[in-house]
Amino acid sequence: MSLVEVRIAGRYKLGAKIGKGRYSDVFQAFNVLSDTVFAVKFEELKAKYPQLLYEAKILHNLQGGTGIPCLNWCGQEGDYNIMVLEYLGD
C-alpha cells in the first residue's frame, strides 16, 4: 500500500500533525519549492461556527506586528478551509 502525498495549494507538502484547537487541526508542512517549514490549519467546511477565514482576515490586518506569523495562503480545498502560516517553532 502506498501513501498519498497531500499538497495544499499545489506547493505545500503536508507533514505531521502538531496541534489541535477548538475548531481546527494544525499540521506541519513544507514548501516544495523552497523547502521552508510552515504551519497549516484545517477547518471543516461543515463546521457549525466557522472561524478560520475570520482568523485569516485578522492575521492579514496584523501583518508585520511582533510575534504575528506571516499569512502565506488562505483558501478552500476539498472539504476544508485552510490557512498556511509562518512556522514560529516549537
Side-chain angles (χ1 to χ4, degrees):
M1 178 169 88
S2 64
L3 296 175
V4 176
E5 183 178 278
V6 176
R7 289 205 184 176
I8 307 303
R11 65 181 174 265
Y12 301 101
K13 184 172 80 170
L14 200 60
K17 186 173 182 178
I18 57 174
K20 179 171 177 55
R22 176 170 283 194
Y23 62 88
S24 63
D25 292 322
V26 184
F27 291 82
Q28 193 174 59
F30 303 89
N31 184 315
V32 296
L33 303 175
S34 67
D35 206 31
T36 307
V37 179
F38 291 90
V40 179
K41 295 180 86 171
F42 285 82
E43 172 189 65
E44 290 188 34
L45 288 177
K46 64 182 180 181
K48 189 172 183 178
Y49 302 106
Q51 298 291 310
L52 196 72
L53 299 179
Y54 179 65
E55 180 182 348
K57 280 184 180 181
I58 292 171
L59 278 173
H60 179 74
N61 290 331
L62 295 174
Q63 292 298 279
T66 304
I68 306 296
C70 180
L71 177 62
N72 287 71
W73 183 85
C74 183
Q76 178 183 331
E77 287 197 7
D79 295 334
Y80 297 93
N81 289 319
I82 301 171
M83 182 169 53
V84 179
L85 305 160
E86 173 185 16
Y87 184 71
L88 297 179
D90 296 319

